[in-house]
Amino acid sequence: MWRVGLVFGAVAWFVSLVGLVEALHGRWVVDGVLSAGQVLLLAVLLASGWTAARRFSASLVGRLWAGLLAGATVGFCVGLLVWLRSLVDLRTMFVNASPALFQLLSGGQPARVAWAAAVAVGAGVGLVGGAGACTPARVVRPILVGAAAALSLALFQELVLLVLQPEPLAPVRDWLFVAGGGPTAQGIAATFAFSAALAALRQASWGRAGRVALPPKAQRVLWSFVGVLLLAALPIAGGPFVAQVLVIVGLYTLMGLGLNLEVGLAGLLDLGFVAFFAIGAYTVGLLTSVGDHGIAHWSFWAAVPVAVLVSLIAGVILGIPVLGIRGDYLAIATLGFGEIVRLLVLSDALRPWFGGSQGVLAIPKPVLAGFEFSGPQHLYYLTVVASAVVAYVAWRLQDSRLGRAWMAIREDEDVAEALGINLVSVKLLAYGLGAAFAGVGGAIFAVMVGSVFPHSFQLLISIQVLALIIVGGMGSIPGVIVGSAVLIGLPELLREFGEFRFLVYGAVLVAMMLLRPEGLLPAAAQRRELHAAEEEPAGLARTPVGAATEGGA
Amino acid sequence: MALLELEDLHVYYGNIHALKGVSLQVEAGEIVALLGANGAGKSTTLNTVSGLLRPRSGAVRLEGEDLTRIPPHRIVERGVVQVPEGRRVFGQLTVLENLEMGAFTRTDSQGVREDLERVFALFPRLKERAAQVAGTLSGGEQQMLAIGRALMARPRVLLMDEPSMGLAPLLVEQIFDAIQEINRQGTTILLVEQNAYMALQVAHRGYVLQTGQVVLSGSAEELRENPEVKRAYLGG
Ligand SMILES: Nc1ncnc2c1ncn2[C@@H]1O[C@H](COP(=O)(O)OP(=O)(O)OP(=O)(O)O)[C@@H](O)[C@H]1O
Ligand SMILES: [Mg+2]
């Protein structure tokens, strides 16, 4: 138990010393009472209690005791840090070990008192965590949902305030937020209660109706109508900043849908995917630019099909040399391709054509029937339409003959070949179509920024696209959208914590792989693979259903 | 003219000379057994027929047409289909999806439905488990699925690589019954086996392969009685 405590104690040290706690401390969860930094520390304590209780005991008392002990150990670690600081100046090694941080950790008390207090608070919170582990999930889940909602209110308060800007909404605003400060206690409490109640209700209705029951057609139409309205209203309600974030999410969705064909469906790992995004962007840039490097002064609409075609061809060209390569080697080869494209457009030798590190400038905004897509709020609609079209194409591909061939080569290339699947054409189509999708994204990116630079096409983008597919759920189209919203959208919205972005990224990825390796919204096959043992009874239960559909097909 | 004819095949893995001039014929409607010890070149022979390997010299002819220049997927379209060694089913897909994958090259959905029924009639166990994930099937069921999947391509010549490998005796019987039934329904079979006893029970003729060369051939009966075969493959 104390070992779990030590692990979480290390986590507490870590988040403190990298400066995450202090950064979050600048954000009120309840104005003047509780900061997000404190919430983070509390969450660490709760998690330690919960984990220890889960791991070490089955009995109620045992679990409470385990939670208490683990929490106390974490508290001890935090106290130790405070005490250490009173002896030596930690700042020579940890730049983030600032006075403000220790003011927060020690509560302004002298080190010894603070140490004792930390152990006591830790034990108390750990006990609560342990109690949580003894409570049935049906109770815990709504509480977690409520807490998440309340926390979101605090973290995204600018956004909420933005939406509540109009004067008629002022009373709501003033009730939820302290003027010029964080959420009020009543606001947080109400958000928590409301969301928790909603989650509890939903859970109860699930229990009755059964989770698998599909909504009738009318209901589905209604929902998609609501969804479209919501999508259309988002940038208007949220303003240019939100629209900008959504455009970026859309661009990553486009890339994600493309890479999903390669990695998710066909099982061909590609770490150089950003190359196709770059090629799409440069093609549009060169064809439409009114600056030095413009070659055609075409309109955006004429340039997009060309960009898609050029990306597609580039995908096939990448595909040809790597046809016979599998697995890890494929990852390295494609990695090289991504870098080659970036270095080519960066190179001095090709500067007369691509502008070197200066890039291609003066790319005009698209104009449609006299209407100029100037700001992010306009480009948002362009992105949404493009994503919808591409998602539709991806969805049709998935269920097509080609989609099945991709699935077969993902599962077993040799057998697929023996069953009559033409590996060459099927693989090249995966690379080509995936690249074409990314090319659409690149085209919009070019007009969004108004210029394209080699610097915009770093390896990191390829990695992010891959990560969002994994988090969303390999091979799943809704998963791509969710993945890019979570991995790209959230960090963009939380810009002020930007420096911790990749720290959180890494943590989220590790946690995902441990807790939910199939992704947030997995495709059926992945779920089966990773939960084969648990699913087996379900598989058997489904047999008559499967037989029935097969008879009807 | 034989339906399938292998003539003087030489196949290399790099420098390893795996097949050193293999010739054999399979007549329409036959079951032909290809016997041999581990590493004799049996799988190599089948993979060369299905186009997964290319011979350095020699020919594989289907009704006189040379297959050695034709890509594997076209060979499947011509009706030569392999059941790979070691029952490699698509583990994450369901039984039904696996079977549908077998019909990949076909466009006649009516015929595919008929063949699905035919496979289910042959292996009722697969019908019961149509919605089950193939990776969770037992070894014997996976072998049935691998055979069924190949049948979905409606082969004229079925190439089977050690269908009895690692199966319990009772299941081996079942699989060999199915092989005979498939043959009765009109499919020609080239059967690679280590279980020479069972193979020579169902086969009409057989060849014995040793380090990449055919060392013996004859009717199943002759081979069963052959003292060398008895000693080396039949345990007595
Ligand atoms: N991919 C390969 N690379 C190099 N050598 C190979 C390869 N595959 C097979 N061989 C060699 O070719 C020879 C024939 O192998 P093959 O797989 O055809 O034997 P087999 O008769 O099918 O044996 P088994 O009964 O064990 O399956 C062996 O000596 C083997 O080591
Ligand atoms: Mg073999």
Side-chain angles (χ1 to χ4, degrees):
Chain A
M1 286 160 251
W2 57 271
R3 234 186 285 169
V4 171
L6 281 185
V7 170
F8 280 90
V11 172
W13 272 47
F14 181 72
V15 293
S16 300
L17 290 178
V18 299
L20 189 56
V21 171
E22 193 189 340
L24 286 170
H25 191 48
R27 184 62 79 113
W28 289 120
V29 172
V30 179
D31 195 81
V33 180
L34 186 68
S35 78
Q38 289 163 330
V39 169
L40 176 63
L41 288 174
L42 288 179
V44 172
L45 287 171
L46 278 174
S48 75
W50 193 82
T51 311
R54 273 283 156 122
R55 186 165 289 192
F56 291 108
S57 183
S59 76
L60 179 67
V61 178
R63 285 191 162 190
L64 291 178
W65 176 240
L68 183 136
L69 219 60
T73 313
V74 178
F76 178 83
C77 292
V78 173
L80 181 68
L81 185 63
V82 173
W83 180 71
L84 270 178
R85 160 132 188 307
S86 70
L87 298 183
V88 290
D89 182 12
L90 293 174
R91 259 205 143 160
T92 49
M93 237 199 291
F94 301 102
V95 285
N96 285 311
S98 66
L101 171 67
F102 287 96
Q103 175 68 24
L104 162 66
L105 291 182
S106 66
Q109 304 294 323
R112 272 156 207 274
V113 182
W115 200 344
V119 172
V121 170
V125 180
L127 184 70
V128 176
C134 310
T135 322
R138 143 179 78 77
V139 179
V140 172
R141 204 169 293 146
I143 293 179
L144 283 179
V145 170
L151 204 61
S152 309
L153 181 72
L155 287 179
F156 300 112
Q157 49 187 269
E158 274 110 358
L159 278 183
V160 180
L161 281 170
L162 209 68
V163 175
L164 297 178
Q165 197 73 277
E167 217 29 55
L169 294 172
V172 185
R173 190 174 67 215
D174 295 338
W175 194 74
L176 283 175
F177 291 98
V178 175
T184 57
Q186 59 203 4
I188 286 293
T191 311
F192 174 83
F194 181 71
S195 317
L198 216 63
L201 267 180
R202 196 181 143 96
Q203 206 168 322
S205 70
W206 260 0
R208 261 183 283 122
R211 292 179 65 153
V212 284
L214 278 172
K217 200 170 177 180
Q219 206 173 333
R220 219 178 308 171
V221 170
L222 179 75
W223 276 119
S224 32
F225 188 68
V226 171
V228 168
L229 268 186
L230 217 65
L231 269 180
L234 262 177
I236 301 170
F241 173 62
V242 173
Q244 176 71 31
V245 171
L246 289 172
V247 169
I248 293 171
V249 169
L251 294 183
Y252 273 92
T253 302
L254 284 168
M255 281 194 275
L257 289 169
L259 189 60
N260 189 42
L261 294 187
E262 294 181 15
V263 181
L265 294 187
L268 303 164
L269 193 49
D270 185 349
L271 287 182
F273 199 65
V274 69
F276 309 126
F277 185 67
I279 287 168
Y282 266 92
T283 308
V284 163
L286 293 172
L287 288 176
T288 66
S289 168
V290 293
D292 293 344
H293 298 286
I295 50 174
H297 306 299
W298 283 12
S299 85
F300 174 74
W301 312 105
V304 167
V306 179
V308 171
L309 193 68
V310 172
S311 308
L312 192 144
I313 292 169
V316 173
I317 289 174
L318 161 74
I320 290 169
V322 300
L323 270 176
I325 313 180
R326 294 185 190 185
D328 312 348
Y329 304 100
L330 186 59
I332 299 301
T334 52
L335 185 78
F337 185 77
E339 283 300 284
I340 287 173
V341 169
R342 189 176 65 84
L343 292 173
L344 276 182
V345 293
L346 184 63
S347 75
D348 281 331
L350 298 175
R351 179 184 285 266
W353 293 280
F354 298 126
S357 59
Q358 307 296 308
V360 178
L361 307 174
I363 301 169
K365 301 288 179 206
V367 178
L368 186 64
F371 175 79
E372 191 187 31
F373 289 81
S374 50
Q377 275 157 305
H378 301 152
L379 285 171
Y380 165 83
Y381 292 105
L382 183 64
T383 313
V384 167
V385 171
S387 305
V389 170
V390 166
Y392 179 76
V393 173
W395 175 62
R396 295 305 310 224
L397 278 172
Q398 204 167 12
D399 285 339
S400 70
R401 223 172 108 77
L402 185 57
R404 288 201 297 147
W406 283 336
M407 215 147 67
I409 64 169
R410 180 187 71 203
E411 296 260 316
D412 191 328
E413 222 175 284
D414 302 320
V415 175
E417 191 173 23
L419 290 179
I421 290 169
N422 183 349
L423 290 189
V424 173
S425 66
V426 162
K427 280 187 175 186
L428 290 184
L429 277 170
Y431 283 119
L433 290 170
F437 287 9
V440 178
I444 297 176
F445 177 75
V447 293
M448 177 186 93
V449 182
S451 49
V452 285
F453 310 103
H455 184 73
S456 309
F457 308 106
Q458 305 281 357
L459 168 65
L460 191 59
I461 295 187
S462 301
I463 294 174
Q464 282 179 306
V465 177
L466 188 61
L468 75 87
I469 292 181
I470 293 170
V471 167
M474 281 266 195
S476 147
I477 293 171
V480 170
I481 299 167
V482 170
S484 67
V486 170
L487 278 196
I488 309 298
L490 287 188
E492 288 285 334
L493 288 178
L494 294 172
R495 269 269 151 117
E496 44 178 315
F497 308 116
E499 45 181 321
F500 301 105
R501 182 171 177 159
F502 293 107
L503 176 76
V504 175
Y505 238 85
V508 167
L509 283 179
V510 172
M512 280 291 296
M513 289 307 101
L514 291 175
L515 300 175
R516 204 177 155 85
E518 73 274 31
L520 293 172
L521 280 181
Q526 249 66 29
R527 203 165 43 230
R528 285 187 214 134
E529 177 190 23
L530 288 156
H531 294 283
E534 303 151 43
E535 281 256 327
E536 199 164 357
L540 290 176
R542 275 203 309 269
T543 306
V545 181
T549 37
E550 167 259 308
Chain B
M1 185 174 54
L3 177 60
L4 183 71
E5 187 177 7
L6 281 58
E7 192 187 302
D8 196 25
L9 280 181
H10 287 266
V11 177
Y12 290 76
Y13 294 104
N15 287 329
I16 301 169
H17 198 171
L19 295 190
K20 304 164 185 162
V22 170
S23 299
L24 59 84
Q25 284 93 36
V26 183
E27 302 289 338
E30 271 188 319
I31 300 181
V32 171
L34 188 56
L35 309 175
N38 287 116
K42 307 180 297 292
S43 299
T44 306
T45 307
L46 289 198
N47 287 337
T48 309
V49 173
S50 50
L52 302 175
L53 289 173
R54 295 292 169 198
R56 192 164 291 182
S57 66
V60 177
R61 290 197 201 87
L62 183 71
E63 291 183 315
E65 184 193 17
D66 190 2
L67 298 183
T68 53
R69 301 264 165 275
I70 299 178
H73 64 278
R74 299 261 178 249
I75 294 179
V76 173
E77 282 169 15
R78 281 170 174 69
V80 178
V81 182
Q82 186 174 2
V83 184
E85 189 173 5
R87 11 171 214 280
R88 288 162 69 171
V89 297
F90 296 119
Q92 293 176 38
L93 305 188
T94 64
V95 169
L96 189 63
E97 287 166 341
N98 264 278
L99 292 173
E100 286 166 353
M101 212 60 101
F104 185 81
T105 54
R106 296 175 56 180
T107 46
D108 56 324
S109 50
Q110 179 61 38
V112 170
R113 261 199 298 280
E114 285 167 20
D115 283 349
L116 189 62
E117 285 314 314
R118 195 160 73 103
V119 169
F120 282 153
L122 197 60
F123 301 115
R125 195 84 76 87
L126 294 183
K127 183 162 190 167
E128 288 166 27
R129 310 197 156 236
Q132 188 174 332
V133 179
T136 62
L137 294 174
S138 77
E141 290 161 350
Q142 289 191 9
Q143 185 58 263
M144 295 175 191
L145 180 57
I147 296 172
R149 188 178 60 189
L151 288 178
M152 291 301 292
R154 195 172 276 188
R156 299 162 66 199
V157 182
L158 189 61
L159 311 171
M160 305 182 91
D161 200 343
E162 305 204 23
S164 76
M165 187 163 65
L167 298 184
L170 194 66
L171 270 170
V172 173
E173 295 261 0
Q174 271 183 33
I175 294 288
F176 276 93
D177 285 348
I179 290 171
Q180 271 186 309
E181 177 58 30
I182 292 165
N183 179 250
R184 257 198 298 276
Q185 291 176 6
T187 307
T188 307
I189 295 174
L190 177 55
L191 173 66
V192 160
E193 259 303 336
Q194 295 223 21
N195 188 338
Y197 175 77
M198 287 302 291
L200 292 175
Q201 295 281 316
V202 301
H204 303 105
R205 292 189 303 115
Y207 293 83
V208 176
L209 213 55
Q210 214 170 66
T211 55
Q213 283 172 313
V214 175
V215 291
L216 261 180
S217 65
S219 73
E221 234 157 273
E222 285 164 11
L223 289 178
R224 273 201 302 265
E225 299 308 320
N226 184 296
E228 263 180 75
V229 174
K230 269 187 171 168
R231 185 179 51 73
Y233 304 107
L234 299 176

